[in-house]
Amino acid sequence: MSRRPAAVAASLLTVLALGAVSACSGNSSASTGGSGSTPTVKLMAGGLDKQIYLPYQLAQQLGFYKKYGVNVQLSTEQDGGVGAEEAMASGQVDMAGAWYNHTIEFQAKGKAVEDVVQLSGAPGEREMCTSKSGVHSAADFKGKTLGVTDLGSGTDTLTQFLAAKQGVKTSQFHRIGVGAGSTAIAALQNGKVDCVMTTQPTVAAIQKKGVGASAIDLATTSGATAAMGGAYPAASVLARTDWVNSHKDTVQKVVDALVATMHWISTHSAADIANKLPASFVSNQLVTKADYIAALNEDKGQFLPDGLMPAGGPKTSLATEKLVGNVKGSVDLSKTFTNDFAVQANKTEGFKTTTTPAGPNG
């Protein structure tokens, strides 16, 4: 997961920053309401304005959190600030809109965190490279300088994984943190990096400016499967296992809302989705609304229609973590995710599921 948000409209970031401050103050509020009251959940995402994370805000815009009886207070990561998964693990917020792989990393560190609903089966990332780079696949990474969101982020892990699969050692290329949005674009324009791994709408902006092109597609489930050997579950909702166990009704309401959102995404066009999102998300200093819609049309395949963890996904993620050295011991994948809430959400609404769900061993 790229942990830091895209740097888009300054006014948007200011508003979201205030939200993040509010969300990070005090303890969990989900259990403070009396009997029969609407629970409040604080959820921080790894960049609300990124297309890979659009379901969290879309659920709010569609009124689904309210419909399913939960008040979700959204906030977003800030450059240089605490990551969403870290804020969740420390209790600053109740839930994190972050990548599934963090549950594996947390378990390796002795912390019990689980994925309660899976929103995407691909990272939503593309390796964007300049024409002079000569990079057409990870086999060409030797001797190159590659931009990642920041060192230790999901994009950093993926970059190392892609290289390792092609027999390229980490010591044979250089990685630097370039953020996302305008800072990632500037790194390409100024020759600071040969490539940068990033998401929409930054990808669309890079293409429009003519400073780079997609060399590796991790933006769709089919692309991720081809490059990584299997579906790679990315955007999800993470929470501490002890919190989940003591707030199951509240978790179910959040998952109900997001599963309904994923079904809505799968049955509506990119233009419909863009029309529901905040105007500053889809039209800003990086992209026009038309650009945003075109980009979403291209990468909409990353989203899962039913919120289920796909079969093989956890195994692919674990293999990634082990190959880059983030995890060295044994991991019990059955404790890193649950499909129970998503299964119930689909059953409640009568939605037909199409994702083959992962079993306990991933």
Side-chain angles (χ1 to χ4, degrees), residues 6 27 37 76 99 128 159 163 181 200 215 234 259 330 339:
N27 296 320
S37 64
T76 196
W99 282 12
M128 303 298 292
T159 298
Q200 300 286 11
V259 166
S330 61
N339 274 325

Side-chain angles (χ1 to χ4, degrees), residues 1-8 12-13 16 45-58 76-77 79 97 99 123-125 148-150 153-155 179-181 197-202 235 273 277 280-282 284 286 292 296 302-303:
M1 170 202 77
S2 45
R3 296 181 180 175
R4 304 295 172 246
V8 259
L12 167 64
L13 292 181
L16 292 178
L48 284 171
D49 51 1
K50 289 183 178 180
Q51 280 193 5
I52 60 171
Y53 292 139
L54 72 82
Y56 312 113
Q57 185 67 50
L58 182 60
T76 196
E77 291 180 2
D79 282 323
W99 282 12
E125 308 278 349
V148 297
T149 311
D150 55 12
S153 68
T155 55
M197 184 175 286
T198 191
T199 63
Q200 300 286 11
T202 307
I273 296 168
L277 292 170
S280 56
F281 280 33
V282 302
N284 48 61
L286 289 183
Y292 187 95
L296 184 54
Q302 69 188 276
F303 295 116

Side-chain angles (χ1 to χ4, degrees), residues 19-42:
V21 171
S22 174
C24 290
S25 61
N27 296 320
S28 165
S29 58
S31 60
T32 59
S35 177
S37 64
T38 301
T40 294
V41 172
K42 296 176 181 178

Side-chain angles (χ1 to χ4, degrees), residues 217-234:
D217 168 23
L218 300 179
T220 61
T221 303
S222 58
T225 299
M228 306 183 70
Y232 186 88

Side-chain angles (χ1 to χ4, degrees), residues 12-13 35 44 131 147 180 183 189 213 231 237 255 262 289 352:
L12 167 64
L13 292 181
S35 177
M44 180 185 286
S131 59
T183 55
Q189 286 180 314
V237 172
V255 175
M262 302 317 293
K289 189 172 183 179
K352 180 181 179 180

